[in-house]
Amino acid sequence: MSALQRFENKLEQLVSGVFARTFRSAVQPVEIASALAREVDNSAQILSRDRRLVPNDFHVELADTDHERLDALGPQLTRELTEMLREHAADQSYVFTGPVSITLEQADDLTTGRFRVRSASHSSSRLAGGDPTPTAVRRATASLLLHGEAVPLAPPGLVLGRGNDADLRIDDPGVSRRHAEIRVEAPQEPDGEPRVSVIDLGSTNGVSVNGKRVEQARLTDGATIRIGTTTMSLRLRQG
């Protein structure tokens, strides 16, 4: 039995009687389940011969009337959708980039019976030694912008990876245990910028800078670095 069939069976218990009839001309929960499964199928990226990486953050946009009906089911609907998606991923050897999140949202441009699904990949990260203080962030002449947060950089730099020994640990299945090094050299002049470069440490999925795969590259202000499904950018300022 497929994940979608199991979801339909559970749905019979969740939605029944008079309430079920309100869905006849509206978006059906099983339609959303099918759309979520198609979204991960269409978004899958090859990690290895036996594993493919898929998004973990999903937003289901609905017309006001559909959103109101589905919202009345409470959190159990999103829990069942999440469980269905996890089962579908297991059946297909998919790996999520992080914890699965499904959110139902209202969209003014949609009419009853129509909906759309948006997905994104979000990983989490942890800096060895704990989060930097606001003062350290303000004083840094170089920093990585990751998940909306600034990670201060100082000589000699830091190692990015999924392993416990990485200086900046990134929980992304597409990231190797020691994936890349951000190397930082002190500026030659008192008010100059530090020299920052990225080096691939023999990772499985490589490193790209501004969309181009590199083994080693000098980074300039605003450069975008991607490892696995995680993207970060470099910010430089004069001291």
Side-chain angles (χ1 to χ4, degrees), residues 40-149:
V40 295
D41 290 342
N42 294 334
S43 304
Q45 302 177 36
I46 296 175
L47 262 183
S48 65
R49 186 176 62 180
D50 300 321
R51 296 199 309 163
R52 286 180 287 178
L53 199 62
V54 295
N56 64 314
D57 186 34
F58 302 88
H59 296 261
V60 181
E61 298 181 347
L62 302 146
D64 290 348
T65 50
D66 287 319
H67 183 271
E68 182 179 355
R69 291 188 184 97
L70 291 167
D71 194 54
L73 294 175
Q76 187 174 354
L77 176 60
T78 52
R79 284 199 298 266
E80 294 294 352
L81 287 168
T82 300
E83 182 61 24
M84 179 283 303
L85 208 52
R86 289 191 180 122
E87 291 180 5
H88 178 68
D91 291 343
Q92 302 299 322
S93 299
Y94 294 153
V95 179
F96 291 109
T97 54
V100 178
S101 172
I102 300 175
T103 306
L104 305 183
E105 301 176 348
Q106 293 176 309
D108 295 336
D109 62 328
L110 293 175
T111 56
T112 300
R114 299 183 66 85
F115 72 99
R116 59 175 167 257
V117 174
R118 294 185 293 107
S119 66
S121 298
H122 294 301
S123 59
S124 61
S125 61
R126 294 187 296 278
L127 189 63
D131 294 334
T133 65
T135 300
V137 173
R138 286 196 302 271
R139 290 179 176 176
T141 57
S143 58
L144 285 178
L145 299 182
L146 174 62
H147 304 318
E149 302 291 335

